[in-house]
Structure formats: C-alpha cells, structure tokens
Amino acid sequence: MKRITLKVGSGVLTENNAVAKQRMLNLVSFIVKLKQFYDVILVSSGAVSSGYTALKLDRKKHISKKVLAAVGQPILMSNYKALFDIYDVVTSQVLMTEEDFDSLAHIEIFRQIIDSQIEHEIMPIVNENDITTISEQVFGDNDQLSAHVAHHSGSEILVILSDIDGYYDKNPNEHDDAVLFKLVTKIPPSELQKPDSSTHEFATGGIVTKLKATQFMLDQGRDMFLCNGYDLTSAEEFLLEGTHNKGTLFSHSNS
Ligand code: ADP
C-alpha cells in the first residue's frame, strides 16, 4: 500500500484551552478510513497545549514549557488511544529529535521501527521529544519533523492539516483579498526567509516552517498537500476521492 504521513497542528487539536474532542474524533475516524487505502503515519503536535489543559504554567518560560510538554504528552496520547480504541486500532508513541535523523544508522532504525509497526497494523503517532532535549537537538516545529518522517518512512506525500485552507499569495488573516494557490511547483527562496507567522499561542512556525518542510519534500522528489484540519472535507476529497477542490498541492513533478 502507498504510505502517507499526516501532520496535525495544535490549533486543530485544542480549543479554548481544552482538548477539541470532536475535531480529534473526526481526525481519528478520517485516519481509520484512510487506512483502508494507505499506510498512515501521524505526526501530532499538541503536547504543550494538552499540558496546559491540566496545569496553567507560564508556557513562555523555557522550563515551564518543557514541564507542560511532559504533562501533556501522556494526556495527548491517552486521548488518541481512547479514540483509536473505538476502532480497535493499536497506537504507539514515537518521540523523535532532529538527531534521530543525523546518521544512516539512526535513519535505518527509524525506518525499521515504522515498517514493523505498519506490518503489525499499529498506528504510529510521532511527536518531537522536546522534554529533555536542548535547542540544538530539536527541529522546533513539527512541520519540519513531519517532512523528515515522511521522507525517511518512504511516504509519497506529506499532508499538513492546518488552521487554513492552503497556501495563499499573502497572509489571509491579514488580507481579505488573499488568493489561494491550488498548485505550487516552486517556492521562491525569499518566502523561506520570512519571520514566524503562526496564529495560535501554542503553534510554532506558521507558514514559513510549512514552506521549509515543503521545500525539503520537493528536494526529495515527494509531494506535500496543505489543507484545512478543522474541516476535513478537502483532505477527504483529495485522498479518498482523488478530487482536488480546496487545499494547495505542492508537486515535485515540475519543480
Ligand atoms: P498550525 O497550528 O496548523 O501549524 P500555524 O499557525 O503555525 O498553524 O500556521 C498557519 C498560519 O500561517 C495561518 O493561520 C496564517 O495566519 C499564517 N500565514 C501567513 N502567511 C500565510 C500564507 N501566505 N498562506 C497561508 N497562511 C499564512
């Protein structure tokens, strides 16, 4: 079966400092449907925001943020487990750092772990291990982690489920006349230099980290699809029906 990596941001998973349970259930049932046609690897943010639902520490402080991640990661995983249990799908937690991709030996172990999990029909749920790591060891955002996961797991496409319908010619939250790109084959280098534009207090990166992740995918001869994670219609249409209405496809074939 074809492999895909799906990345979901904290914005989709939390709402008003609580876990967005209905959206998480929608995501899990969507993944269960996808699993009939694809082997799916999920990269999920949301440890810090889940931690904050239990404990109101100052997430701007470096150590407090790590404590929130340590508190939140099991909350996030137990929410996923409860929802995947409905469908009798066994989940696994795979915590990664940037260093886990820094040598062929590391990459080989990662590949074997993912292969074995898929072979045993286990649902891998990957997140960055930002608990005991220092900044040099982490990607700092799950967009770039997910691109590495997608490439090294042999996924033909990375699908990023975000708070936005896709990639626009300018920030749609600031410009009413922003136009959505449906197909992108080249990212102008200047777009990769722009500052962080994330919208949520728990998000890291905004569009720039998504574009950097995309550039990595295109360089590896793989595609990326950016679409809305609040409403999964465009993801469903694209992945299950083969129709592309909304969402941006970044295609390597003409890049
Ligand atoms: P997520 O939690 O899904 O990772 P982010 O907040 O990190 O979401 O990134 C998506 C945000 O990037 C959008 O909500 C939007 O405000 C911002 N953004 C800035 N420029 C653009 C653009 N050209 N196209 C789309 N989104 C953009």
Side-chain angles (χ1 to χ4, degrees):
M1 257 205 278
K2 287 180 188 172
R3 267 186 201 183
I4 58 170
T5 295
L6 214 60
K7 183 259 168 178
V8 60
S10 334
V12 175
L13 299 171
T14 35
E15 187 156 46
N16 302 327
N17 292 328
V19 174
K21 288 222 163 108
Q22 185 60 47
R23 285 208 293 262
M24 219 168 162
L25 175 60
N26 294 346
L27 172 70
V28 167
S29 37
F30 173 50
I31 293 173
V32 171
K33 273 193 244 165
L34 283 178
K35 278 167 66 61
Q36 294 171 31
F37 306 95
Y38 303 94
D39 290 327
V40 185
I41 297 142
L42 176 64
V43 176
S44 178
S45 303
V48 176
S49 57
S50 298
Y52 198 72
T53 64
L55 193 72
K56 302 288 179 267
L57 293 184
D58 182 356
R59 53 203 180 268
K60 290 193 184 72
K61 286 194 187 143
H62 184 58
I63 294 301
S64 302
K65 196 173 169 197
K66 285 181 172 296
V67 172
L68 286 171
V71 170
Q73 182 63 23
I75 297 175
L76 181 69
M77 287 307 298
S78 60
N79 281 317
Y80 274 123
K81 183 179 180 318
L83 295 173
F84 276 108
D85 276 352
I86 300 170
Y87 301 96
D88 283 330
V89 174
V90 177
T91 51
S92 76
Q93 169 183 264
V94 183
L95 293 177
M96 312 280 304
T97 68
E98 193 169 346
E99 288 180 340
D100 292 319
F101 297 105
D102 72 356
S103 71
L104 288 176
H106 272 132
I107 289 168
E108 182 54 26
I109 287 187
F110 169 73
R111 177 85 187 216
Q112 285 181 25
I113 290 170
I114 295 294
D115 285 354
S116 175
Q117 293 191 356
I118 285 173
E119 190 188 320
H120 293 95
E121 301 201 0
I122 295 165
M123 177 69 228
I125 304 178
V126 184
N127 198 357
E128 187 146 58
N129 178 7
D130 45 20
I131 294 160
T132 53
T133 42
I134 54 170
S135 55
E136 287 73 24
Q137 294 172 296
V138 290
F139 288 100
D141 65 84
N142 270 348
D143 296 320
Q144 291 179 85
L145 169 71
S146 64
H148 282 72
V149 167
H151 172 52
H152 294 299
S153 65
S155 298
E156 63 180 53
I157 190 163
L158 166 66
V159 177
I160 294 190
L161 302 172
S162 184
D163 65 342
I164 201 91
D165 283 338
Y167 176 46
Y168 291 77
D169 62 343
K170 48 194 163 221
N171 189 344
N173 289 327
E174 289 168 8
H175 303 272
D176 290 341
D177 61 344
V179 177
L180 181 83
F181 293 113
K182 206 169 166 190
L183 177 69
V184 174
T185 54
K186 273 196 176 62
I187 301 167
S190 58
E191 290 299 302
L192 301 169
Q193 312 296 334
K194 292 193 172 162
D196 180 336
S197 59
S198 48
T199 34
H200 303 283
E201 47 190 339
F202 294 104
T204 37
I207 199 68
V208 179
T209 54
K210 289 170 188 55
L211 295 178
K212 286 182 182 164
T214 305
Q215 187 61 58
F216 178 83
M217 291 297 283
L218 297 178
D219 289 345
Q220 311 302 327
R222 300 182 195 276
D223 295 342
M224 203 281 254
F225 187 65
L226 175 63
C227 64
N228 201 306
Y230 290 74
D231 174 354
L232 295 169
T233 311
S234 42
E236 291 209 27
E237 288 171 345
F238 185 73
L239 291 169
L240 294 173
E241 295 160 25
T243 44
H244 180 188
N245 291 320
K246 266 193 197 161
T248 305
L249 174 64
F250 295 88
S251 166
H252 77 278
S253 43
N254 297 308
S255 63

